[in-house]
């Protein structure tokens, strides 16, 4: 069965800290891994990673995929209170037209 | 540009009552459409997806059903709600690309 696991499930840090969120997957015919941020309602798309070892970056957020380890990390540097959210990762596999989501990591940034 | 609508935003229903949640997409044609449920601010559980009018794939056997009467309309229904149906219901669409884009969600409380 296809599965995506995120860790930690919950993380509380102080503003200015750097955090690393983890996502591992067991997906047949894996093709891409996606990261979303969910603040209150609709998850918003952050990154899609297809190639191993190539970092994607947007401001203070960056992500990289390791196909050998079947995993991805999302880094957030110099965190701000606005980064508080649930971060979701999802795997897309060849032949499917759907995503398999992990449980999410609830990140709380305290001032 | 594409827009996705969901209604109602919140709903409180008694056990045993029927349910109808509606999702519509604007600005695109022949989208893939998805219904997810999210319990207690955690990960997304895929309930149904549709690649075309009248084509519905069910991911989890349960008390719910879905229909796609028009190209850009996706409806989630139940004949008799259970307490366990409470949760946050999200509709999403995707086009030729992998990324899915989410609606604002409906928070359902079954009492």
């Amino acid at each position: 069965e296809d599965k995506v696991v995120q860790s930690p499930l919950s993380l509380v840090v102080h503003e200015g800290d750097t955090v690393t969120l983890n996502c591992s997957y067991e997906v047949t015919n894996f093709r891409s891994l996606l990261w979303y941020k969910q603040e209150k309602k609709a998850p918003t798309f952050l990154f899609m990673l297809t190639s191993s070892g190539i970092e994607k970056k947007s401001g203070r957020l960056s992500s990289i995929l390791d196909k050998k380890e079947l995993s991805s990390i999302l880094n957030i540097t110099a965190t701000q209170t606005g980064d508080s959210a649930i971060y979701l990762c999802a795997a897309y596999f060849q032949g499917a037209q759907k995503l398999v989501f992990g449980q999410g990591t609830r990140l709380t940034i305290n001032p | 540009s594409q827009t996705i609508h969901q209604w109602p935003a919140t709903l409180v229903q008694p056990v045993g009552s029927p349910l109808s949640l509606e999702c519509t997409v604007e600005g695109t044609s022949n989208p893939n459409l998805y219904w997810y449920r999210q319990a207690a601010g955690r990960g997304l559980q895929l309930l149904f997806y549709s690649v075309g009018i009248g084509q519905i794939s069910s991911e989890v056997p349960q008390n719910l059903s879905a229909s796609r009467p028009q190209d850009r309309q996706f409806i989630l229904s139940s004949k008799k709600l259970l307490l366990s149906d409470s949760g946050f219901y999200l509709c999403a669409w995707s086009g030729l690309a992998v990324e899915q884009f989410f609606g604002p969600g409906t928070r359902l409380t079954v009492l």
Side-chain angles (χ1 to χ4, degrees), chain B residues 3 17 29 36 40 44 49 61 68 70-71 73 75 101 103 106:
Chain B
T3 309
S17 63
S29 57
Y36 291 90
L44 306 184
Y49 69 97
R68 184 170 177 175
Q70 300 179 44
D71 181 45
Q73 184 185 30
I75 297 171
F101 302 93
T106 295

Side-chain angles (χ1 to χ4, degrees), chain A residues 11-78:
Chain A
L11 184 59
V12 181
V13 300
H14 290 291
E15 201 167 21
D17 289 351
T18 293
V19 298
T20 298
L21 309 183
N22 301 285
C23 176
S24 63
Y25 59 89
E26 293 177 25
V27 175
T28 310
N29 296 322
F30 172 83
R31 184 170 177 187
S32 303
L33 190 123
L34 290 80
W35 284 96
Y36 285 84
K37 177 183 181 182
Q38 184 181 24
E39 293 182 75
K40 287 186 180 177
K41 293 187 176 181
T44 53
F45 173 73
L46 293 174
F47 299 113
M48 183 171 74
L49 304 146
T50 304
S51 301
S52 192
I54 297 177
E55 184 182 54
K56 290 221 172 173
K57 199 171 171 68
S58 176
R60 296 176 293 103
L61 277 69
S62 63
S63 184
I64 196 162
L65 177 66
D66 186 338
K67 283 188 174 180
K68 188 177 176 183
E69 297 295 325
L70 306 183
S71 66
S72 174
I73 60 171
L74 175 68
N75 281 321
I76 309 175
T77 59

Side-chain angles (χ1 to χ4, degrees), chain A residues 13-16 37 39 60 78-85 87 107-111:
Chain A
V13 300
H14 290 291
E15 201 167 21
K37 177 183 181 182
E39 293 182 75
R60 296 176 293 103
T79 53
Q80 303 171 358
T81 54
D83 295 325
S84 295
Y87 290 84
L107 176 63
T108 303
I109 311 296
N110 287 328

Side-chain angles (χ1 to χ4, degrees), chain B residues 30-105:
Chain B
N30 198 30
N32 296 327
L33 296 172
Y34 308 85
W35 278 112
Y36 291 90
R37 178 168 57 203
Q38 185 176 36
R42 302 313 309 182
L44 306 184
Q45 178 188 33
L46 180 63
L47 302 175
F48 302 94
Y49 69 97
S50 170
V51 299
I53 296 174
Q55 300 178 61
I56 309 294
S57 295
S58 174
E59 289 294 299
V60 182
Q62 60 208 325
N63 187 40
L64 302 169
S65 62
S67 62
R68 184 170 177 175
Q70 300 179 44
D71 181 45
R72 289 170 288 177
Q73 184 185 30
F74 206 22
I75 297 171
L76 183 69
S77 304
S78 174
K79 292 182 180 178
K80 287 186 178 181
L81 283 169
L82 307 171
L83 285 173
S84 58
D85 292 323
S86 292
F88 190 49
Y89 288 83
L90 285 158
C91 180
W93 74 274
S94 68
L96 296 175
V98 170
E99 307 96 279
Q100 293 179 15
F101 302 93
F102 289 83

Side-chain angles (χ1 to χ4, degrees), chain B residues 3-44:
Chain B
T3 309
I4 180 167
H5 302 279
Q6 277 187 253
W7 64 91
T10 60
L11 192 59
V12 180
Q13 292 284 96
V15 168
S17 63
L19 173 74
S20 182
L21 303 181
E22 190 161 341
C23 171
T24 59
V25 181
E26 295 177 357
T28 186
S29 57
N30 198 30
N32 296 327
L33 296 172
Y34 308 85
W35 278 112
Y36 291 90
R37 178 168 57 203
Q38 185 176 36
R42 302 313 309 182
L44 306 184

